[in-house]
Amino acid sequence: MSKKIFSGVQPTGNLHLGNYLGAIKKFVDLQKDIKNNCIYCVVDLHAITVKQDPKFLKKNIRETTAAFLASGLDPKKSIIFNQSMVSSHAEGAWLLGCVARMGWLNRMTQFKEKAGKDKEKASVGLYIYPILMASDILLYDATHVPVGEDQKQHLELTRDIAQKFNSDFNCPNFLITPEPLIQENFSRIMSLKDGTKKMSKSDPSDQSRINLTDDKDQIVNKIKRAKTDSAQLPQNDNDIIKRPELVNLYGIFSSIQNQNLNKTINDFRGKNFSEFKNNLADILVEKIYPISNEIKKLLKDEKYIDNILKTGSIEAEKIARKKVNDIKQKIGF
Ligand code: TYM
């Protein structure tokens, strides 16, 4: 069955291994099936829900686009564009925001995490952000949305909005309720310094993440210095319980090798930590460094990147505009 795929990544700098393994690698895998219709968006309107320096925003939009391309997305096979060039997204968010309920938004854990203690000082944009995300997805009739585990709740909200709209305006199946594509294992890559904290762009410590722009030495050093416990490498999966840093490093290894955790446990049974870390560093250098290298090359040709975004935006706008017009008609405009 052909799938309509939509997903997005914020251009907030420091794209990391979590973004790659949790999302971008899957974007590329989905693009390989020619039956799939894939649309990938640099969600720059989402980025401005927290303060962005105007000097760096455009650079970050280009860098995220370059990361898409360097990872294997092909503008001939997928629509690649940035959200701020397609005004239908913002218009759709307004229309859908009048269907969404305050109570639903109040439950969003990501808002609570990002707003921190002083919620009153968070931007209104940060609060209504999940509605913009619903608009992104619903305007393209996306059937499947590849994301990391942290976006699951936003996907559920998207489904609630679609169902309420269809029911309020008596138009069954008009807005498609999308399925999240979240891998069963390793859908949450954790910090290299604390296995209980998500790997994140906003962690002040660069040592906590492998950036997609890191060079070979940085990758090797970060893995060498990654936090571990003092117990031996596990004999079986009982031995990994309550060892969050080990689970994370084994998860990264398994995910990048496309193998299950048990195979990784078997591969390293009886070996020592430094041997495992050397292997992990080697495999990351092999898989991530070419991406990092390619990003840097691509960024030298800004026009090329800008053209891809422009062409993609024209294609995206055609689809999204039609859906916004249909939504407006249902509402009674
Ligand atoms: P963003 O930009 O924070 O992250 C992009 C993608 O990377 C995944 N991710 C992770 N996966 C595993 N482990 C991690 N440590 C990790 N950190 C990030 C995220 O789950 C995400 O899939 N709201 C979204 C962007 C968005 C979007 C959309 C996504 C806007 N509109 C429509 C899908 C469809 C976000 O902030 O992702």
Side-chain angles (χ1 to χ4, degrees), residues 2 20 230 235:
S2 78
Y20 178 71
S230 54
Q235 297 289 329

Side-chain angles (χ1 to χ4, degrees), residues 56-67:
F56 292 110
L57 185 58
K58 197 166 271 169
K59 173 182 165 288
N60 287 336
I61 293 168
R62 290 189 181 119
E63 192 173 292
T64 304
T65 313

Side-chain angles (χ1 to χ4, degrees), residues 10 18-19 129 133 136 147-148 150-151 187 189 199 201:
Q10 291 195 55
N19 299 126
Y129 166 123
M133 182 159 160
D136 298 341
V147 281
D150 61 345
Q151 297 300 317
S187 56
I189 303 296
M199 185 178 284
K201 297 167 184 171

Side-chain angles (χ1 to χ4, degrees), residues 38 100 103 111 122 145-146 176 187 302 331:
C38 299
F111 173 76
V145 182
I176 307 292
S187 56
E302 292 179 347
I331 292 174

Side-chain angles (χ1 to χ4, degrees), residues 6-10 16 18-19 22-23 43 46 110 114 129 133 136-137 145-151 154 187-190 198-201:
F6 184 97
S7 198
V9 176
Q10 291 195 55
H16 53 72
N19 299 126
V43 289
H46 277 91
Q110 200 163 73
K114 289 199 174 172
Y129 166 123
M133 182 159 160
D136 298 341
I137 297 166
V145 182
V147 281
E149 204 258 343
D150 61 345
Q151 297 300 317
H154 292 159
S187 56
R188 199 177 174 86
I189 303 296
M190 309 308 267
K198 194 179 76 168
M199 185 178 284
S200 152
K201 297 167 184 171

